[in-house]
């Protein structure tokens, strides 16, 4: 890895490597990401006291808001029956405190952080994509598996990170691809990586990431796309054919919700064969969440960080949602969360927690572009992601959210960089 940076004349400090490995491990391994965060904390702490940089001029209040969100979740522990499980749930929320503290300790600048972050993601996603495609080839041609090995969760299986999360990180990188200056300077490598990531995006077949991500990419890079096709008109039919072919996995999944069966959302009872899909299931889960709040008189503070899933499972059983077969590994929809971060937060920590979460999101959007390292396109994608997944209930989601929320760079910090290209 170090030789790669030397080749492209990139110099990294110890602190730069901390951020690099946190981002590098984020899409591919929860355990490695946890290790990177722990070791990184030690390095940042040592660097902080060694350089005596202090926290003056840093957005302290901004970075303390996630701690309030954490406290609102923690406040329900005293009322939990299963204390061990509650502590595990709370441990999962620790990035809300850890990541902002890291930024208070860090002397990083926007330019350095941006280059290190996206460089790490590009390398991580490229290596993981190559391994995934190789694994799928092996499964199809040597293990007699079907062509489905190249699509969706089967494609992502070697890293078990989830197709939608892997797709999300791909779109995040692509939306700010033009900010990776060392890669832009290497056109052949850039186009190879661009093709690989776009291929993986379509094969991952996430309806949200393709349906929202592709339009965002087209809008952002519309001038580049138009100029490219003007100069090389023969690329138009080739591009159309390629897009049609790689869109097939996505269209097969998209057809599942062309007829969303929304009338089933208000049903008094469901059967094992009820026509559930990604859209009406999420609406049903939102309905259950509101019912749970009403039945427990928990509008303000919610029902706690551990009871939410148990009560949702009870709703699945009560309404006859498919819950698998007793004595087998098939559990149906049991332990499926609300698939909506706003509903998840509302049920767990009530209106108080929901308002703090909304305040955090609004605050990110309100930060001037010169002070944050993510674009508004990425933030829009994150907001849509929150509407379809309980993002903060997975380490990949909560670490990423804390990273983009905490990366608030005051102007005086943007002029100093340890990252030289």
């Amino acid at each position: 890895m170090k030789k790669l940076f030397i080749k492209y004349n990139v110099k990294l400090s110890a602190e730069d490597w901390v951020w690099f490995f946190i981002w590098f491990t984020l899409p591919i391994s929860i355990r490695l990401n946890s290790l990177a965060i722990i070791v990184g904390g030690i390095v940042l702490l040592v660097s902080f006291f060694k350089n005596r940089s202090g926290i003056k001029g840093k957005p302290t209040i901004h970075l303390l808001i996630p701690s309030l969100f954490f406290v609102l979740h923690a406040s329900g522990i005293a009322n939990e029956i299963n204390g061990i499980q509650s502590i595990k749930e709370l441990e999962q929320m620790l990035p809300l405190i850890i990541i902002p503290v890291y930024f208070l300790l860090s002397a990083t600048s926007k330019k350095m952080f941006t280059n290190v972050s996206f460089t790490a993601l590009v390398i991580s996603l490229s290596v993981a994509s190559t391994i995934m495609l190789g694994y799928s080839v092996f499964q199809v041609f040597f293990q007699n598996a079907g062509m489905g090995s190249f699509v969706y969760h089967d494609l992502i299986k070697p890293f078990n990170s989830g197709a939608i999360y892997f797709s999300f990180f791909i779109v995040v990188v692509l939306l700010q691809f033009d900010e990776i200056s060392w890669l832009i300077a290497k056109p052949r490598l850039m186009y190879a990586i661009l093709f690989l990531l776009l291929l993986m995006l379509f094969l991952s077949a996430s309806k949200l990431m393709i349906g929202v991500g592709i339009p965002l990419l087209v809008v952002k890079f519309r001038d580049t796309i138009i100029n490219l096709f003007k100069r090389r008109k023969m690329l138009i039919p080739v591009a159309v054919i390629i897009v049609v072919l790689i869109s097939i996995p996505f269209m097969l999944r998209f057809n599942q919700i062309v007829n969303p069966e929304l009338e089933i959302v208000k049903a008094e009872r469901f059967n094992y064969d009820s026509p559930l899909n990604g859209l009406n299931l999420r609406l049903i889960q939102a309905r259950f969440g509101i019912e749970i709040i009403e039945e427990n008189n928990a509008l303000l503070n919610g029902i706690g960080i551990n009871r939410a899933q148990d009560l949702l499972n009870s709703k699945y059983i009560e309404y006859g949602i498919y819950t698998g077969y007793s004595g087998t590994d098939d559990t149906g929809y049991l332990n499926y969360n609300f698939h909506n971060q706003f509903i998840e937060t509302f049920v767990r920590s009530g209106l108080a927690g929901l308002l703090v979460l909304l305040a955090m999101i609004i605050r990110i959007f309100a930060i001037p572009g010169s002070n944050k390292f993510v674009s508004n396109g990425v933030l829009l994608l994150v907001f849509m992601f929150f509407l379809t997944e309980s993002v903060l209930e997975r380490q990949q989601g909560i670490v990423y959210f804390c990273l983009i929320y905490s990366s608030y760079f005051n102007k005086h910090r943007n002029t100093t960089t340890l990252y030289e290209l």
Side-chain angles (χ1 to χ4, degrees):
M1 192 76 72
K2 187 175 181 180
K3 291 181 179 180
L4 176 67
F5 286 110
I6 294 175
K7 179 180 178 180
Y8 292 108
N9 193 31
V10 177
K11 299 178 182 179
L12 297 179
S13 68
E15 188 174 311
D16 298 343
W17 283 108
V18 168
W19 297 117
F20 177 88
F21 281 112
I22 289 176
W23 282 103
F24 179 83
T25 56
L26 188 57
I28 59 177
S29 173
I30 292 175
R31 290 183 179 179
L32 288 179
N33 186 244
S34 298
L35 181 61
I37 291 173
I38 293 171
V39 175
I42 297 172
V43 173
L44 288 174
L45 193 61
V46 171
S47 176
F48 177 78
F49 285 108
K50 181 179 179 180
N51 298 325
R52 299 180 181 179
S53 56
I55 62 173
K56 185 178 180 180
K58 297 181 181 179
T60 309
I61 296 178
H62 172 81
L63 295 175
L64 288 178
I65 295 178
S67 298
L68 176 59
F69 190 61
F70 177 87
V71 169
L72 288 172
H73 277 71
S75 62
I77 269 196
N79 299 321
E80 298 291 342
I81 298 175
N82 189 345
I84 296 178
Q85 182 61 33
S86 300
I87 292 174
K88 288 182 178 179
E89 294 276 354
L90 200 58
E91 181 183 2
Q92 187 174 317
M93 305 297 289
L94 281 176
L96 289 166
I97 295 178
I98 293 174
I99 300 298
V101 168
Y102 282 11
F103 274 88
L104 287 174
L105 297 175
S106 176
T108 188
S109 66
K110 178 185 174 182
K111 181 179 178 181
M112 180 274 286
F113 185 78
T114 299
N115 278 287
V116 167
S117 301
F118 288 120
T119 295
L121 277 179
V122 163
I123 296 174
S124 176
L125 293 171
S126 299
V127 171
S129 296
T130 303
I131 294 173
M132 290 172 184
L133 289 173
Y135 176 80
S136 296
V137 168
F138 176 78
Q139 289 294 109
V140 171
F141 294 102
F142 297 96
Q143 298 295 315
N144 297 319
M147 294 301 292
S149 296
F150 285 101
V151 181
Y152 204 40
H153 290 307
D154 286 342
L155 174 68
I156 313 298
K157 190 177 292 184
F159 292 95
N160 197 31
S161 58
I164 190 168
Y165 284 88
F166 196 78
S167 301
F168 171 74
F169 287 117
I170 289 177
V171 177
V172 164
V173 164
L174 293 177
L175 281 171
Q176 297 189 239
F177 208 67
D178 55 339
E179 296 187 41
I180 312 173
S181 51
W182 68 268
L183 187 57
I184 299 299
K186 307 290 180 180
R188 292 184 179 179
L189 178 62
M190 179 189 71
Y191 285 120
I193 292 176
L194 186 60
F195 176 79
L196 175 63
L197 295 184
L198 284 172
L199 175 64
M200 290 297 294
L201 176 61
F202 280 95
L203 291 179
S204 297
S206 166
K207 298 185 287 291
L208 173 68
M209 294 306 152
I210 295 178
V212 176
I214 293 299
L216 286 174
L217 288 168
V218 171
V219 169
K220 175 166 183 178
F221 296 105
R222 60 188 180 278
D223 292 337
T224 303
I225 295 171
I226 291 172
N227 291 333
L228 179 63
F229 285 140
K230 280 183 178 180
R231 294 197 309 268
R232 302 181 181 182
K233 294 182 179 180
M234 288 300 296
L235 286 177
I236 297 177
V238 175
V240 170
I241 293 173
I242 292 175
V243 169
V244 169
L245 289 176
I246 63 180
S247 295
I248 292 176
F250 166 70
M251 293 307 298
L252 290 174
R253 296 199 66 242
F254 183 79
N255 286 335
Q256 297 173 6
I257 60 169
V258 171
N259 298 312
E261 306 279 357
L262 294 182
E263 64 278 1
I264 200 175
V265 174
K266 296 182 179 180
E268 295 298 324
R269 186 74 183 172
F270 301 93
N271 301 312
Y272 73 94
D273 58 350
S274 293
L276 300 180
N277 55 55
L279 179 56
N280 62 27
L281 176 61
R282 283 167 169 78
L283 294 175
I284 291 169
Q285 290 167 329
R287 169 192 167 186
F288 290 168
I290 294 172
E291 288 183 7
I292 290 170
I293 287 291
E294 291 177 346
E295 292 168 1
N296 290 272
N297 296 315
L299 178 63
L300 183 60
N301 297 320
I303 52 101
I305 62 175
N306 191 40
R307 294 179 62 209
Q309 189 60 58
D310 291 338
L311 291 177
L312 182 56
N313 284 341
S314 297
K315 285 291 180 181
Y316 290 147
I317 297 171
E318 176 187 344
Y319 280 90
I321 297 286
Y322 178 67
T323 55
Y325 294 97
S326 178
T328 69
D329 293 332
D330 184 5
T331 57
Y333 291 101
L334 282 178
N335 294 318
Y336 273 41
N337 59 33
F338 288 100
H339 283 75
N340 182 310
Q341 187 57 57
F342 300 110
I343 296 295
E344 192 85 45
T345 299
F346 182 46
V347 173
R348 285 170 169 250
S349 54
L351 190 59
L354 180 60
L355 289 176
V356 173
L357 177 61
L358 290 172
M360 291 171 66
I361 293 174
I362 293 172
R363 187 160 176 81
I364 302 178
F365 273 103
I367 296 174
S370 60
N371 294 84
K372 61 187 177 188
F373 99 107
V374 290
S375 66
N376 285 333
V378 172
L379 294 179
L380 178 59
L381 183 70
V382 171
F383 181 78
M384 297 298 295
F385 201 11
F386 273 39
L387 289 174
T388 60
E389 295 290 331
S390 296
V391 178
L392 303 185
E393 309 311 309
R394 293 190 60 165
Q395 179 162 328
Q396 291 169 312
I398 192 169
V399 170
Y400 176 79
F401 180 70
C402 290
L403 283 168
I404 65 169
Y405 178 85
S406 303
S407 53
Y408 184 133
F409 299 97
N410 288 333
K411 290 183 179 179
H412 76 276
R413 298 178 72 197
N414 295 336
T415 58
T416 303
T417 178
L418 299 174
Y419 194 91
E420 301 176 7
L421 296 173

